[in-house]
Amino acid sequence: APPPPPPPPRGEVGEPRGGADPRGVKALLTREELLSYLKKTAADAGIEPNPRYDSRVQYGTVGFPNVGKSSLINVLLGSATSQHNVHRVGVASQPGKTKHFQTLRVPGEASMMLCDCPGLVFPSFVSSTADMIAAGVYPIAQMRDHWPVVGLICQRIPRPVLNASYGFKIPVVYPEGSDGTGPPPKPTAEELLTTYCVARSVIAAGSGVPDWQRAARVVVKDYVAGKLLYCHAPPAMEGEEGEFEAETHRRVLEGDER
């Protein structure tokens, strides 16, 4: 058999993604390449080392909670959980792990200082708290109203995927006046949670009614963890989201059958 074709070139560090936008790079970078890119960016912007910071340039990480800012800092520090006597910042799968602003020196880089800070939530970039919870940037433990986010999940995850993921069958309720033919409507949050509670015997103590709050936390955690898989279509597929989602759901169902 002929040898496989060589991998595409990684691209020059600091090379623009395309167009006139100079931000970002075309390929994944190693730690050394990323450090070089950061220093090049500072030099291109005319940023000089500041005597206030031991003649170093400060580099900060800004973004939503739980997107990997502290993990990036640890990569730049060259530290891993298996290493001893190496400073690293704490990370966790739940948002809100980083609670304080802190500065760190990069080993072997006399002109660099990294800044790690808590995640910032920009309300203007999201339409509701349900979006933030589903995106994993808002702690599930602080969720007060579970109906909106579960309703959002029901709009995104089709009925067959929910049924296959949990091993039950959500009853199909057609709207009033419908003849009961055609594709079934998307399940409501109440239909999903009630079915879950009945199938798993999740009943509120003392009242005997379904414990929707406890069931909602399980469903939301499964969604945030990717067990209920939903992938946003890339910007280049604008107008083709349905086709993109159908392929994702098909792969999920095929994986469940295997």
Side-chain angles (χ1 to χ4, degrees), residues 92-173:
S93 58
Q94 297 81 20
K97 173 64 176 178
T98 305
K99 294 180 172 60
H100 306 286
F101 181 90
Q102 55 184 324
T103 57
L104 308 106
R105 299 182 180 183
V106 182
E109 298 290 344
S111 63
M112 298 187 71
M113 177 179 289
L114 303 179
C115 302
D116 191 24
C117 67
L120 303 174
V121 175
F122 305 93
S124 59
F125 285 88
V126 292
S127 58
S128 66
T129 303
D131 285 308
M132 291 191 291
I133 296 174
V137 303
Y138 191 91
I140 298 174
Q142 298 179 17
M143 179 175 62
R144 295 294 177 263
D145 185 5
H146 57 273
W147 295 112
V149 63
V150 176
L152 179 63
I153 293 173
C154 289
Q155 291 298 312
R156 291 178 173 178
I157 307 296
R159 183 186 297 268
V161 174
L162 292 172
N163 289 338
S165 299
Y166 292 117
F168 53 56
K169 186 173 182 180
I170 304 172
V172 178
V173 180

Side-chain angles (χ1 to χ4, degrees), residues 197-253:
C197 290
V198 172
R200 301 287 193 273
S201 298
V202 181
I203 305 300
S207 63
V209 300
D211 193 343
W212 293 300
Q213 178 78 14
R214 185 149 57 102
R217 292 184 185 276
V218 175
V219 172
V220 174
K221 285 181 180 179
D222 288 346
Y223 180 86
V224 173
K227 294 180 181 179
L228 294 175
L229 184 61
Y230 177 79
C231 301
H232 291 272
M237 295 190 67
E238 185 175 356
E240 304 176 18
E241 293 86 354
E243 179 181 348
F244 178 84
E245 293 173 7
E247 175 67 13
T248 303
H249 300 152
R250 183 183 65 81
R251 290 179 177 270
V252 170
L253 292 174

